[in-house]
Amino acid sequence: MDRSPTIGFIGLGRMGGPMAGNLVAAGHPVIVYDIDRSKCEPLAARGAQIADSPAAVAAASDISLSIIMNDAVLRQVALGESGIVNGARPGLLYCDLSTVSPAASAEVGAALSTAGVAYLRGRVAGSIGLAEAGELTIFASGSPTDFDRAEPVLTALGKRILYVGRDEVAAYLKLVHSTIVGVYAALMGEALTLGEKGGVDFEQMLDILNEGPLGSVQLALKTPMLKQRNFDDPPSDIDTAAKDLDIVLSAAREQRIPMPLTSAVRQIMTQRQACGSGKQDIWSMLETFEDMAALTGAPTAGAQR
């Protein structure tokens, strides 16, 4: 019987920690690394091994996964002195699941190809809750052969695993996702403020929107938070969303794609960051629109705030 491949996992943040845990729960041999070693210890208690660098992960695994914060960290993890490229065992497949720029991903792909390391561009759609439940949507681009090899491992992390094309297709698809997430949250904040200013009952307005043709999965998920005005400890905060939109706008400039709506939303996020709300949920942009409309205090039934 063929042995189960050893899986490396780099980056044990809010998404990566639960994802690595699901690999352990699925019975895979797992070796983990995070710059903060304390994040590795709960997984070690469940049977994972701890590596002291990305290179050590690559040397000990058949398939290495990562989910990290930005382009600079990706370059360091993949190409740094203690990176994947300098530790990869023969036949290693490296699949990065991070939201990074297509340009940085292409740079890493070219360097790894030269070094003989297979590289799959994976991207994730979903929240921390879905990561914990192993119900993420994961899409990937690159070699179909590499995707086929990674797919059985990725099924421990998501309920939908999709191959979307070659090269940086998955990177661009994730940027489409990030754009819609950010702009939709801002659009709803602006529209809800209009209703509030006109005297519409805030909670009833949300209920009617959810029950009508404009309802959406995203609005339904956010409605309890909007009603309670509890924007703290979110699954997706302003700082992370702003970082993602920076990547979107950078890629758009490189491709000469005008994105005026996204640019405006990024400025609203800047305002939230400036007033110390960067760690709040992205739907807290509602409060910026309310402030601009001179609405103060919590919403009250049947009256302006």
Side-chain angles (χ1 to χ4, degrees), residues 72-89:
V73 179
L74 173 63
R75 291 187 178 98
Q76 186 66 26
V77 164
L79 307 179
E81 183 177 346
S82 299
I84 295 286
V85 72
N86 289 314
R89 66 162 61 170

Side-chain angles (χ1 to χ4, degrees), residues 55-158:
V57 170
S61 59
D62 301 296
I63 299 175
S64 294
L65 309 175
S66 64
I67 183 162
I68 44 78
M69 189 61 183
N70 55 39
D71 289 5
V73 179
L74 173 63
R75 291 187 178 98
Q76 186 66 26
V77 164
L79 307 179
E81 183 177 346
S82 299
I84 295 286
V85 72
N86 289 314
R89 66 162 61 170
L92 176 74
L93 170 60
Y94 173 43
C95 176
D96 179 55
L97 299 166
S98 314
T99 302
V100 295
S101 72
S105 181
E107 176 187 333
V108 166
L112 292 178
S113 178
T114 299
V117 179
Y119 178 53
L120 190 67
R121 294 82 160 163
R123 297 295 181 267
V124 172
S127 64
I128 296 170
L130 293 177
E132 293 171 343
E135 296 182 353
L136 296 164
T137 295
I138 300 175
F139 45 91
S141 59
S143 161
T145 301
D146 292 339
F147 175 80
D148 290 343
R149 184 177 164 197
E151 185 176 14
V153 174
L154 297 177
T155 56
L157 309 177

